[in-house]
């Protein structure tokens, strides 16, 4: 196993937790098995110090992770001498690659300073959870479970003794981590992680210019046998044919890691782990994604993936300022505060380094040990408010599956539809495009509608038994339109039906969970 320094630090960290209720468990319902904790570390079998993610099921020696975890950075105004304010830069790391440890602690530090509350565990919906059952209930008091195997844990950054340096104070956030895994064929190689991040600062101040991210230190295979030979790729935006517009740019929000070599003793060539950002906070103002005017994220639109930073063991950001700059898309090594734009580089300047892999990749000669962070921001969080950051962990058998799986899981999360990327490539021969997306945990629904000519559209909402609930729209439209509504309906599965011309209908399914 590699990273001997990390192993020493992990051993010290584990000894602290040996007699406490810091917990880890395996997600093991589908083809993708991952170890999770209640202190922010994902994909590491923490208490053994070994990699904690393997694929497919039945091959526990075919591992893909050394570790990963949530990062969160923000600017906080604090009082000085009772009247003046100081803006402080703070970053909490759920997994720091060079040390393999976390600044998060189970719970919120208010009730259990010594972490002896037996209920502060990782909850798995397929387990009895030490006799405590499943903690998440619906409005009727029954267990609320979304997938074939849900998980839940609760942690915060409020114990300053677990922060790596004295000057990096706790931000004052609590994280409610959920995961969802399915056994069905379209989803059996995917686990979705949702991070609900809440501002619970004691001073009740807003936290500003925040960034949420995941830090990854992946190892495909045993690098003590087969030297570091991994490569990185990403798909930030891509163009597709959409109705009559031949070059419509869409966000793919996908980062992946791969290798071209086989692994000794493996049953097949290694798969390709990818990470798809599914849900983020909205932009608080228009944002120039690349800093060059090519792609503008409009105010109110989801931010999506705003930075993908490649790191190395030599360039892991060593303090809170370097970490924050990395989250914000800056090269902290060349950063010049007098000219910050000169070091703004949210995505690597790669082309097609390896033929056959989508988007942008490193060149084959750049293979080696890889670390990276994927982040979204900036956004603000008022006191007692929260945001969601949702990322799908996906295993792909071949490079061709990366785009297809990214689009499938994005549509599934937004609308319950397992549509493929082919649904975007309609061309001008199809006169109608109709899609429905919703946040499954709220009543908000977004209807996208496009047509090549003016016509009347009647859009109704039905329950799963086919009973009409309400009319969502009735009128004449042409070209592209977005309709946003708040439905105020109970949790459940619903059908949105679009009728146009004579006896022509398109339907979409949505799911709402409360």
């Amino acid at each position: 196993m590699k990273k001997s320094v990390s192993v020493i630090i992990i051993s010290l960290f584990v000894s602290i937790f040996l007699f406490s209720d810091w917990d880890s468990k395996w997600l093991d319902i589908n083809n993708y098995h991952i170890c999770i904790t209640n202190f922010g570390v994902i994909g590491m079998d923490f208490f053994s110090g070994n990699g904690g993610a393997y694929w497919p099921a039945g091959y526990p020696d075919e591992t893909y992770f050394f570790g990963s975890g949530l990062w969160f950075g923000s600017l906080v105004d604090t009082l000085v001498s009772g009247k003046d304010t100081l803006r402080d830069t703070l970053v909490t790391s759920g997994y720091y690659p060079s040390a393999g440890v976390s600044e998060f602690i189970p719970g919120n530090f208010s009730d259990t300073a010594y972490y002896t509350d037996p209920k502060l565990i990782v909850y798995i919906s397929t387990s009895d959870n030490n006799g405590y059952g499943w903690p998440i209930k619906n409005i009727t008091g029954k267990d609320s479970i979304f997938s074939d195997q849900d998980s839940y844990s609760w942690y915060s950054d409020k114990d300053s003794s677990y922060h790596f340096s004295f000057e990096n104070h706790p931000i004052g956030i609590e994280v409610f981590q959920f995961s969802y895994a399915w056994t069905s064929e379209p989803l059996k190689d995917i686990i979705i992680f949702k991070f609900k991040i809440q501002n619970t600062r004691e001073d009740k101040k807003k936290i500003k210019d925040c960034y949420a991210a995941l830090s990854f230190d992946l190892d495909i295979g045993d690098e003590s046998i087969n030297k570091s030979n991994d490569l990185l790729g990403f798909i930030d935006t891509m163009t597709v044919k959409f109705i009559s517009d031949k070059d419509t740019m869409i966000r793919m929000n996908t980062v992946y890691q791969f290798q071209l070599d086989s692994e000794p003793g493996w049953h097949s060539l290694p798969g390709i782990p990818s990470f798809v950002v599914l849900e983020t906070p909205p932009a608080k103002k228009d944002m120039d994604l690349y800093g060059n005017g090519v792609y503008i994220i409009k105010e109110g639109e989801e931010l999506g993936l705003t930075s993908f930073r490649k790191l190395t063991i030599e360039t892991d950001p060593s303090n809170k300022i370097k970490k924050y700059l990395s989250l914000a898309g800056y090269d902290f090594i060349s950063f010049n505060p007098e000219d910050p734009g000169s070091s703004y580089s949210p995505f690597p300047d790669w082309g097609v380094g390896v033929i056959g892999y989508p988007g942008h990749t490193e060149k084959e000669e750049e293979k080696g040990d890889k670390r990276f962070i994927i982040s979204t921001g900036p956004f603000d969080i008022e006191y007692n408010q929260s945001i969601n950051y949702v990322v799908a962990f996906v295993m792909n058998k071949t490079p061709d599956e990366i785009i297809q799986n990214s689009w499938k899981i994005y549509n599934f999360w937004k609308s319950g539809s397992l549509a493929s990327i082919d649904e975007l490539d309609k061309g001008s021969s199809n006169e109608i495009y109709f899609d429905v997306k919703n946040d499954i945990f709220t009543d908000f629904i977004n209807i996208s509608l496009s047509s090549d000519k003016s016509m009347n559209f009647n859009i109704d909402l039905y329950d799963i038994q086919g009973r009409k609930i309400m009319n969502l729209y009735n009128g004449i439209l042409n070209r592209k339109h977005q309709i946003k509504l708040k439905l105020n309906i109970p949790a459940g599965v619903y059908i949105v039906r679009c009728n146009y011309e004579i006896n022509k209908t398109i339907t979409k399914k949505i799911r709402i969970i409360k």
Side-chain angles (χ1 to χ4, degrees):
M1 189 178 70
K2 67 164 190 165
K3 302 181 181 71
S4 58
V5 174
S6 296
V7 173
I8 293 171
I9 296 175
I10 289 168
S11 298
L12 294 173
F13 206 50
V14 169
S15 67
I16 297 172
F17 303 152
L18 195 58
F19 301 105
S20 61
D21 287 298
W22 301 58
D23 192 21
S24 69
K25 288 189 174 68
W26 281 86
L27 304 176
D28 58 3
I29 196 70
N30 67 9
N31 225 16
Y32 199 175
H33 289 202
I34 295 180
C35 194
I36 59 174
T37 71
N38 63 348
F39 48 91
V41 177
I42 299 171
M44 173 185 281
D45 191 354
F46 195 86
F47 296 104
S48 72
N50 296 319
Y54 66 89
W55 177 88
Y59 293 88
D61 294 328
E62 300 187 9
T63 57
Y64 288 82
F65 275 61
F66 191 76
S68 68
L70 182 71
W71 282 23
F72 193 86
S74 68
L75 304 181
V76 179
D77 294 332
T78 56
L79 284 175
V80 180
S81 302
K83 58 179 182 177
D84 298 324
T85 60
L86 171 68
R87 176 156 290 186
D88 198 1
T89 302
L90 302 174
V91 178
T92 298
S93 300
Y95 174 81
Y96 184 48
S98 290
V101 293
S102 173
E103 293 177 298
F104 287 110
I105 52 95
N108 66 2
F109 193 52
S110 62
D111 300 322
T112 174
Y114 298 99
Y115 313 109
T116 56
D117 185 345
K119 293 183 180 179
L120 288 178
I121 61 174
V122 175
Y123 289 85
I124 305 288
S125 65
T126 53
S127 166
D128 70 352
N129 299 304
N130 300 340
Y132 294 114
W134 181 244
I136 305 172
K137 307 295 181 181
N138 60 24
I139 57 176
T140 66
K142 295 182 179 179
D143 289 351
S144 177
I145 299 171
F146 178 46
S147 69
D148 295 326
Q149 185 179 65
D150 290 14
S151 77
Y152 167 78
S153 59
W154 170 39
Y155 48 90
S156 74
D157 76 335
K158 295 185 176 183
D159 188 341
S160 59
S161 67
Y162 283 93
H163 285 253
F164 305 151
S165 59
F166 176 75
E167 73 276 5
N168 187 31
H169 306 294
I171 300 169
I173 56 171
E174 295 179 35
V175 180
F176 305 89
Q177 178 183 300
F178 308 82
S179 73
Y180 311 102
W182 293 264
T183 57
S184 60
E185 179 63 35
L187 299 168
K188 68 179 182 179
D189 299 306
I190 296 167
I191 298 175
I192 294 177
F193 284 90
K194 174 185 174 182
F195 305 91
K196 180 181 178 181
I197 304 166
Q198 186 169 6
N199 173 7
T200 55
R201 287 182 59 84
E202 290 185 3
D203 61 12
K204 299 184 179 181
K205 285 186 176 293
K206 177 196 296 187
I207 50 178
K208 304 174 182 178
D209 291 330
C210 304
Y211 291 87
L214 282 172
S215 167
F216 292 95
D217 184 9
L218 303 189
D219 293 334
I220 300 176
D222 188 342
E223 296 190 354
S224 65
I225 299 174
N226 197 6
K227 66 178 183 178
S228 300
N229 55 1
D230 296 328
L231 294 162
L232 293 175
F234 70 95
I235 317 168
D236 49 351
T237 57
M238 64 180 294
T239 57
V240 298
K241 289 187 294 183
F242 185 85
I243 309 297
S244 58
D245 296 330
K246 295 182 179 180
D247 295 309
T248 298
M249 186 177 288
I250 64 168
R251 302 281 297 279
M252 291 302 294
N253 300 310
T254 298
V255 172
Y256 61 93
Q257 184 162 320
F258 66 103
Q259 68 179 44
L260 303 173
D261 305 322
S262 60
E263 283 289 328
W266 282 32
H267 82 289
S268 64
L269 286 173
I272 305 166
S274 65
F275 306 93
V276 187
V277 177
L278 300 179
E279 183 180 335
T280 64
K284 57 184 182 180
K285 61 182 180 180
D286 286 1
M287 177 181 173
D288 187 347
L289 178 60
Y290 303 111
N292 59 9
V294 170
Y295 194 99
I296 305 298
I297 303 170
K298 296 292 186 181
E299 178 182 355
E301 291 181 357
E302 283 196 28
L303 285 161
L305 175 65
T306 55
S307 177
F308 161 47
R309 298 294 302 168
K310 172 188 172 182
L311 305 172
T312 68
I313 193 169
E314 295 81 15
T315 63
D316 276 346
S318 57
N319 60 44
K320 62 182 184 178
I321 301 300
K322 293 177 180 180
K323 289 179 182 180
Y324 186 83
L325 289 172
S326 298
L327 293 176
Y330 291 89
D331 181 353
F332 68 83
I333 296 174
S334 63
F335 184 76
N336 178 4
E338 301 299 323
D339 184 18
S342 63
S343 63
Y344 184 62
S345 179
F347 295 92
D349 186 18
W350 298 336
V352 181
V354 179
I355 301 297
Y357 285 79
H360 314 272
T361 75
E362 295 178 291
K363 296 178 181 178
E364 185 174 352
E365 55 266 29
E366 296 177 287
K367 62 186 181 182
D369 180 21
K370 305 299 175 182
R371 298 131 184 261
F372 59 92
I373 53 175
I374 58 174
S375 62
T376 186
F379 52 88
D380 300 339
I381 310 180
E382 300 282 353
Y383 171 70
N384 213 30
Q385 298 299 305
S386 63
I387 62 95
N388 290 337
Y389 180 51
V390 182
V391 179
F393 290 35
V394 184
M395 286 302 307
N396 308 276
K397 297 182 181 66
T398 66
D400 292 339
E401 287 190 350
I402 297 172
I403 291 178
Q404 182 183 36
N405 286 338
S406 295
W407 188 246
K408 281 183 178 180
I409 196 63
Y410 180 84
N411 272 333
F412 174 76
W413 184 254
K414 294 299 185 183
S415 67
S417 170
L418 286 172
S420 71
I421 193 67
D422 294 335
E423 291 203 16
L424 282 179
D425 194 8
K426 291 180 176 295
S428 59
S429 61
N430 289 280
E431 61 186 15
I432 299 299
Y433 176 79
F434 174 70
D435 197 14
V436 181
K437 293 180 172 60
N438 75 297
D439 182 340
I440 59 176
F441 297 101
T442 73
D443 290 339
F444 284 102
I445 183 172
N446 289 280
I447 300 172
S448 301
L449 190 61
S450 297
S451 67
D452 282 345
K453 62 181 181 180
S454 296
M455 63 180 69
N456 189 79
F457 292 92
N458 186 60
I459 304 174
D460 294 317
L461 181 72
Y462 292 81
D463 65 17
I464 198 64
Q465 285 79 35
R467 295 172 295 198
K468 183 176 175 179
I469 304 299
M470 67 179 73
N471 179 257
L472 302 178
Y473 182 84
N474 189 7
I476 295 175
L477 293 177
N478 73 314
R479 301 299 296 165
K480 298 179 182 179
H481 288 270
Q482 298 286 329
I483 303 168
K484 185 174 183 178
L485 301 168
K486 183 172 176 60
L487 299 180
N488 294 316
I489 56 177
V493 177
Y494 296 87
I495 304 297
V496 181
R497 180 176 298 168
C498 175
N499 298 296
Y500 64 100
E501 292 192 333
I502 300 176
N503 297 325
K504 291 187 178 181
T505 301
I506 305 174
T507 61
K508 296 289 182 179
K509 183 187 294 184
I510 63 171
R511 181 192 297 268
I512 293 175
I513 297 176
K514 296 183 178 180

